[in-house]
């Protein structure tokens, strides 16, 4: 399998690559348009703020490449948020591959922001490798709104999409590479998709 | 609130895990990878590695052990110790760390918090605070890796955590220094004051000696997580039994 992890300079791509190595898949971390377009599957990771990440994508000339992929594309955490039309974080225009907007989470008593830690999933889609009640690890201060693309969610004052799916595009708001056995099942299902 | 987190803390010096009493008299407690794997297997929700000598001696984190830990475990972990700029933090995250925790360097130069939050997002930036009860007041200490270097940072604890969050810190690890290593329980009032002062998650640290101490930190102080070293290292409490006990008392746990 030819798996490309999009290299945006900074970011936590190390642990994502290692997670795939556990399945015997050596991912290529690259910002090369041809390598990304030619991969069997593509992972868009993201640590940081939306504005900075989109600027990195534009600077590498990758926005068009990512929009035109027909193979499975997995966005992780900020990488999932970039799949939407726009983000309130830095008021950023994103890739527009999934309808909707990313908004800040609102802190409340007993509900700190960022949403950080292991939360319990409600799963709508049986193809994700995830089960209702699985705990997975989140670390985010912004989130999308639920919609027809929502495949799994958590309750955090409002319903937060934990997984979105639309055509070839899959997004995980949580960190599958740091979610123990449940995260491994999710990545396995992506590799098998 | 997500499941409350049980967070073993591993103090690291010269590539080995060490543990001291009240920040003094550090003794060898074993190999980093053995500890990391054992805690992961027992159900720890997250790990924190403090290079306790780094800030005091002006050294950097040795990223090779970070890389080895990152390859080994599939739960989140934070690295603390001597991270002074965006480049060092980036190297640490590239090596597989999920968060970076800064303490003395943020007190020296508070702008560092904003620079890290801007580059990596607030969710990657943890502020470690060594806080000391001084009468009715809570004060921040600096350079606590060694008793010879520890000094008053010239700041009140609540003012400092509020400023740090305004600058972009996404989590606070509050170490109540008088409790550290003595197993008499977390300082609940001290922790609750900080939980109520900031919107971000607060991790209680210092003093865990029994399961009820964790219950108090979650139920009465409102902590998102509880960090401990001695009781896990010395196997005084097992993580699976601790989680079972807390769940029985109505605290949400990942199991």
């Amino acid at each position: 399998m030819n798996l490309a992890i999009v290299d945006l300079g900074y970011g936590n791509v190390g642990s994502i690559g290692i997670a795939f190595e556990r399945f015997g898949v050596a991912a290529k971390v690259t910002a090369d348009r041809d390598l990304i377009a030619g991969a069997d599957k593509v992972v868009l990771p993201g640590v940081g703020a939306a504005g900075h990440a989109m600027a990195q994508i534009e600077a590498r000339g990758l926005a068009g490449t990512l929009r035109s992929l027909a193979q499975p594309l997995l966005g992780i955490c900020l990488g999932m948020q970039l799949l939407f039309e726009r983000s309130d974080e830095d008021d950023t225009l994103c890739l527009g591959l999934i309808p909707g907007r990313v908004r800040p989470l609102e802190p409340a008593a007993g509900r700190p922001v960022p949403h950080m830690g292991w939360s319990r999933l409600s799963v709508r889609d049986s193809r994700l490798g995830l089960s209702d009640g699985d705990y997975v690890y989140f670390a985010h201060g912004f989130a999308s709104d639920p919609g027809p693309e929502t495949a799994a969610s958590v309750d955090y004052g409002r319903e937060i999409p934990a997984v979105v799916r639309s055509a070839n595009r899959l997004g995980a708001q949580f960190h599958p590479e740091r979610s123990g056995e449940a995260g491994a099942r999710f990545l396995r299902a992506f590799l098998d998709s | 609130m997500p499941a409350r987190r049980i967070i073993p803390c591993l103090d690291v010096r010269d590539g080995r895990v060490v543990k001291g009493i009240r920040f003094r008299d550090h003794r060898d407690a074993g190999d980093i990878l053995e500890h990391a794997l054992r805690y992961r297997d027992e159900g720890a929700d997250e790990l924190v590695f403090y290079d306790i000598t780094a800030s005091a001696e002006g050294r950097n984190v040795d990223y090779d052990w970070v890389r080895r830990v990152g390859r080994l475990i599939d739960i989140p972990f934070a690295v603390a110790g001597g991270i002074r700029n965006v480049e060092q933090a980036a190297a640490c995250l590239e090596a597989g760390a999920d968060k970076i925790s800064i303490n003395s360097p943020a007190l020296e130069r508070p702008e560092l918090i904003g620079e890290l939050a801007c580059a990596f997002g607030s969710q990657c930036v943890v502020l470690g605070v060594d806080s000391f009860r001084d009468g009715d007041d809570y004060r921040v200490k600096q350079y606590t890796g060694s008793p010879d270097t520890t000094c008053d940072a010239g700041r009140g604890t609540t003012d400092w955590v509020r400023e740090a969050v305004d600058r972009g810190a996404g989590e606070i690890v509050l170490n109540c220094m008088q409790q550290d290593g003595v197993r008499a329980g977390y300082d609940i009032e001290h922790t609750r004051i900080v939980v109520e002062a900031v919107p971000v998650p607060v991790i209680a640290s210092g003093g865990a000696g029994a399961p009820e101490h964790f219950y108090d930190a979650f139920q009465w102080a409102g902590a998102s997580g509880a960090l401990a070293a001695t009781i896990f290292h010395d196997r005084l409490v097992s993580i699976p039994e601790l989680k079972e006990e807390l769940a029985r008392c109505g605290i949400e746990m990942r199991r």
Side-chain angles (χ1 to χ4, degrees):
Chain A
M1 157 133 18
N2 183 351
L3 180 72
I5 298 178
V6 180
D7 184 1
L8 299 181
Y10 286 145
N12 193 10
V13 301
S15 53
I16 294 171
I18 291 159
F20 286 111
E21 268 176 39
R22 296 191 182 112
F23 301 115
V25 175
K28 199 181 296 285
V29 178
T30 179
D32 184 285
R33 271 173 282 182
D34 295 334
L35 285 176
I36 292 168
D40 298 321
K41 294 187 167 66
V42 177
V43 176
L44 179 63
V47 162
H52 179 76
M54 275 311 296
Q56 296 301 310
I57 288 174
E58 299 288 358
R60 288 163 173 75
L62 292 175
T65 308
L66 293 169
R67 287 190 183 108
S68 60
L69 294 175
Q71 61 270 54
L73 166 66
L74 169 61
I76 294 178
C77 196
L78 176 64
M80 159 174 152
Q81 295 177 5
L82 298 180
L83 301 179
F84 287 87
E85 289 165 313
R86 57 187 315 131
S87 172
D88 286 0
E89 191 178 24
D90 313 321
D91 194 17
T92 305
L93 267 178
C94 300
L95 292 168
L97 293 169
I98 296 179
R101 169 175 145 233
V102 173
R103 296 190 287 131
L105 295 171
E106 296 300 332
R111 217 167 49 230
V113 171
H115 170 216
M116 191 106 81
W118 299 75
S119 288
R120 208 164 181 269
L121 290 177
S122 299
V123 178
R124 295 183 195 171
D125 185 327
S126 62
R127 299 166 296 171
L128 302 177
L130 296 167
S131 307
D132 245 2
D134 278 343
Y135 279 94
V136 293
Y137 180 75
F138 292 84
H140 64 119
F142 289 77
S144 59
D145 286 320
E149 296 81 12
T150 304
S153 61
V154 294
D155 177 7
Y156 204 64
R158 62 178 168 105
E159 185 188 7
I160 296 175
V163 181
V164 292
R165 180 200 276 284
S166 170
N168 62 316
R169 294 133 194 171
L170 186 65
Q173 182 59 73
F174 68 100
H175 285 274
E177 76 283 9
R178 285 289 183 245
S179 292
E181 187 256 337
R185 276 189 269 121
F186 176 80
L187 292 176
R188 177 82 257 174
F190 171 68
L191 288 177
D192 292 343
S193 66
Chain B
M1 185 89 80
R4 308 293 176 116
R5 285 174 273 162
I6 303 295
I7 308 175
C9 171
L10 298 93
D11 287 348
V12 174
R13 188 161 66 187
D14 302 324
R16 301 281 292 176
V17 176
V18 294
K19 180 58 191 168
I21 305 296
R22 290 192 183 174
F23 288 61
R24 304 176 68 122
D25 305 326
H26 295 106
R27 60 189 162 77
D28 191 277
D31 179 71
I32 294 174
L33 296 184
E34 279 173 26
H35 280 278
L37 196 58
R38 184 190 123 209
Y39 288 136
R40 182 264 177 223
D41 290 346
E42 288 181 354
D45 297 303
E46 187 171 326
L47 300 175
V48 174
F49 297 91
Y50 278 101
D51 189 341
I52 56 167
T53 52
S55 258
E57 295 175 9
R59 289 191 298 126
N60 295 337
V61 171
D62 161 15
Y63 302 118
D64 185 57
W65 66 262
V66 177
R67 195 171 299 282
R68 285 184 284 132
V69 170
R71 299 191 87 80
L72 191 66
I73 61 171
D74 57 5
I75 58 170
F77 68 99
V79 172
I83 294 166
R84 295 180 175 278
N85 56 50
V86 168
E87 288 69 31
Q88 289 171 333
C92 208
L93 295 171
E94 285 296 337
D98 299 278
K99 303 186 224 179
I100 41 189
S101 183
I102 53 173
N103 186 328
S104 295
L107 288 161
E108 286 168 16
R109 201 171 65 80
E111 297 77 17
L112 176 63
I113 300 168
E115 292 164 13
L116 296 173
C118 186
F120 310 112
S122 289
Q123 75 288 342
C124 280
V125 183
V126 181
L127 182 79
V129 181
D130 291 314
S131 183
F132 194 87
R133 185 194 286 261
D134 182 11
D136 291 338
D137 205 11
Y138 298 100
R139 309 280 306 164
V140 180
K141 295 274 182 176
Q142 196 168 7
Y143 306 122
T144 54
S146 149
D148 299 333
T149 56
T150 300
C151 62
D152 192 292
R155 289 172 178 274
T157 301
T158 46
D159 288 346
W160 174 229
V161 295
R162 284 197 184 111
E163 178 183 335
V165 168
D166 286 344
R167 289 179 180 276
E171 184 160 87
I172 305 291
V173 173
L174 180 74
N175 189 61
C176 301
M177 291 183 72
Q178 282 108 323
Q179 263 70 21
D180 189 56
V182 299
R183 298 181 204 154
Y186 296 101
D187 188 331
I188 299 307
E189 187 190 346
H190 196 158
T191 306
R192 187 175 46 77
I193 285 169
V194 172
V195 166
E196 288 172 358
V198 292
V200 304
V202 174
I203 308 301
S205 169
E212 56 266 32
H213 298 155
F214 290 83
Y215 178 82
D216 292 343
F218 297 137
Q219 182 69 23
W220 306 121
S224 293
L227 185 144
T230 314
I231 62 160
F232 297 139
H233 290 180
D234 294 350
R235 298 176 192 257
L236 302 175
V237 169
S238 90
I239 293 173
E241 284 169 18
L242 172 63
K243 287 188 150 186
E244 195 180 314
E245 173 75 16
L246 290 169
R248 194 164 46 230
C249 296
I251 305 289
E252 185 179 355
M253 289 279 123
R254 172 185 76 107
R255 288 190 293 163

